[in-house]
Amino acid sequence: MSNKINNNNTQAPLDFLQMNCYVNKLNIEHIEGILWQMGALSISILEDEDSKPIYEPVPGEIILWDQEFIKVEVLFSVDFEREYIESELTRRAYVAGNLNDAYKDLYFEVIKGRLWEREYLIDAKEIKINDNLTIYPSHIFLGLSQEDKVINKRHFIVMDPGLAFGSGSHPTTSMCLDYLTKIDISDKTIFDFGCGTGILGICALKLGAKSACFLDHDILALEATKNNLVRNKINLSQTKLCRQEQLVTDEKFDIIIANIFSRVLMELKDLFIKHLSYQGIMVLSGILSEQASEIQSHFSNSSNYYNPISLIETNNKDGWVLLAS
């Protein structure tokens, strides 16, 4: 999940193990989540056999598939065992709800000597979240004039689409970013749970947050976050990067933001409430429209400092919703 871009032309090409399969369009979200947890480096969804991959749809784009099964290409490090990937996918799909019929026609191939991240950057464009925030790929940002960089200097993020989730283009991410620009973040403490590239916490810090804790289960995602903090000239003394077992037991945050799958959000309810400060705000994304009422009901049974948790739908886009307390 590393999001490092090496601008040195002497960088050696890398080999990857690519898993190909066809996934039922109704289960894309679940299978994608399982593959990320297994250590996938990238997941590409193809509209059809002859099309380019859809890495993340641009904001406002609705992707409709006519066929029942969609081709998916998944990159793993070349040292992964094919038998392990296949057996682990089978096991996790069953545990997740007997989803073994959600994919078919699985096969592998080795991708030789490919600087794929550079190829990916060729088509990367800036993403305007709203009038207050724009996401720039590094190669576009480097081409901006100094005047352009000074204007609204606290309201741009340099972020390359890459191996960790969170380039800003997926609706769940763009809704979180949009929401952060519309609330008072000044001097607030932020908890970015499941940080991926760190884009949400970085956005908060650029908007004036006091500090941010970035948490992810994958150490490579934390490495990507650290690289992006440096790329965005964030003062590292304002940040903390950790895995869940390293989280300080009694630490409190003014804003907890999590853009992860709905099932995981429900499992983490008690942890979120435990770490939410008095009158703090929870921002939850990664929720399909049909899942929103279940999430709201699940959290409504709890309270923060004796105040009931009430999650309100603050935005929706392309079948996804954003809930905030």
Side-chain angles (χ1 to χ4, degrees):
M1 289 185 179
S2 174
N3 194 40
K4 291 186 289 187
I5 302 293
N6 188 338
N7 291 319
N8 187 335
N9 290 329
T10 62
Q11 179 186 5
L14 300 175
D15 294 345
F16 296 95
L17 178 63
Q18 180 170 297
M19 185 196 85
N20 307 279
C21 66
Y22 291 82
V23 179
N24 189 303
K25 62 184 179 182
L26 299 178
N27 299 112
I28 285 282
E29 174 199 3
H30 298 98
I31 298 301
E32 185 179 13
I34 290 170
L35 291 166
W36 284 127
Q37 292 169 5
M38 287 171 54
L41 296 174
S42 79
I43 300 174
S44 308
I45 301 171
L46 282 70
E47 288 184 278
D48 54 61
E49 288 289 346
D50 300 319
S51 69
K52 292 183 178 180
I54 303 168
Y55 295 98
E56 290 184 273
V58 299
E61 178 185 7
I62 300 175
I63 298 176
L64 300 175
W65 291 298
D66 293 329
Q67 63 270 41
E68 182 181 3
F69 281 82
I70 312 301
K71 186 174 183 182
V72 175
E73 296 176 347
V74 187
L75 289 184
F76 290 92
S77 172
V78 74
D79 56 2
F80 269 68
E81 294 288 340
R82 304 179 187 206
E83 294 77 10
Y84 164 79
I85 294 173
E86 190 163 3
S87 62
E88 188 66 6
L89 178 57
T90 299
R91 185 188 71 80
R92 291 182 183 235
Y94 178 78
V95 171
N98 198 16
L99 297 176
N100 299 96
D101 293 332
Y103 62 93
K104 64 180 184 179
D105 301 341
L106 188 150
Y107 65 96
F108 295 90
E109 58 185 314
V110 174
I111 306 297
K112 287 283 188 181
R114 184 177 172 194
L115 291 175
W116 82 272
E117 286 179 294
R118 292 184 185 216
E119 296 173 19
Y120 194 0
L121 284 174
I122 293 174
D123 296 323
K125 297 178 175 61
E126 64 189 70
I127 302 166
K128 184 176 180 180
I129 300 300
N130 55 36
D131 290 339
N132 294 318
L133 180 65
T134 301
I135 314 297
Y136 289 103
S138 58
H139 69 288
I140 293 179
F141 180 73
L142 290 172
L144 294 178
S145 68
Q146 191 58 36
E147 181 181 0
D148 289 332
K149 293 179 182 179
V150 169
I151 295 173
N152 292 328
K153 62 181 179 180
R154 292 179 63 192
H155 303 298
F156 63 76
I157 298 174
V158 181
M159 187 71 58
D160 288 322
L163 293 170
F165 181 79
S167 68
S169 60
H170 194 277
T172 61
T173 311
S174 64
M175 285 192 296
C176 289
L177 293 168
D178 180 65
Y179 183 81
L180 288 173
T181 67
K182 294 176 179 177
I183 61 174
D184 181 14
I185 287 183
S186 299
D187 295 321
K188 298 291 194 296
T189 55
I190 310 298
F191 185 17
D192 183 354
F193 192 98
C195 59
T197 62
I199 190 171
L200 301 180
I202 290 172
C203 174
L205 289 167
K206 289 227 171 201
L207 292 168
K210 179 180 180 180
S211 64
C213 175
F214 298 86
L215 185 148
D216 204 288
H217 74 281
D218 193 326
I219 194 168
L220 294 179
L222 295 176
E223 181 184 345
T225 293
K226 185 174 182 179
N227 292 335
N228 286 321
L229 288 167
V230 173
R231 179 178 287 128
N232 283 276
K233 296 180 169 55
I234 299 296
N235 186 340
L236 296 183
S237 67
Q238 295 178 269
T239 69
K240 174 183 176 181
L241 283 69
C242 67
R243 301 178 73 171
Q244 189 167 332
E245 61 269 20
Q246 299 169 317
L247 192 62
V248 177
T249 305
D250 58 353
E251 193 166 6
K252 301 289 185 182
F253 301 94
D254 299 317
I255 300 173
I256 295 177
I257 187 162
N259 179 20
I260 50 183
F261 295 114
S262 59
R263 186 176 304 173
V264 182
L265 289 173
M266 290 196 290
E267 292 172 355
L268 292 169
K269 179 188 72 172
D270 292 340
L271 183 142
F272 289 163
I273 293 172
K274 176 182 178 180
H275 290 282
L276 189 64
S277 66
Y278 176 64
Q279 295 186 332
I281 298 173
M282 251 190 292
V283 184
L284 306 182
S285 190
I287 305 165
L288 292 167
S289 298
E290 58 267 26
Q291 298 168 337
S293 59
E294 182 181 8
I295 298 286
Q296 289 170 311
S297 174
H298 185 70
F299 276 81
S300 67
N301 296 324
S302 302
S303 62
N304 176 34
Y305 293 89
Y306 303 104
N307 296 316
I309 299 291
S310 178
L311 293 173
I312 307 299
E313 181 178 326
T314 63
N315 199 355
N316 63 80
K317 182 183 292 185
D318 300 352
W320 301 92
V321 302
L322 181 75
L323 300 178
S325 61

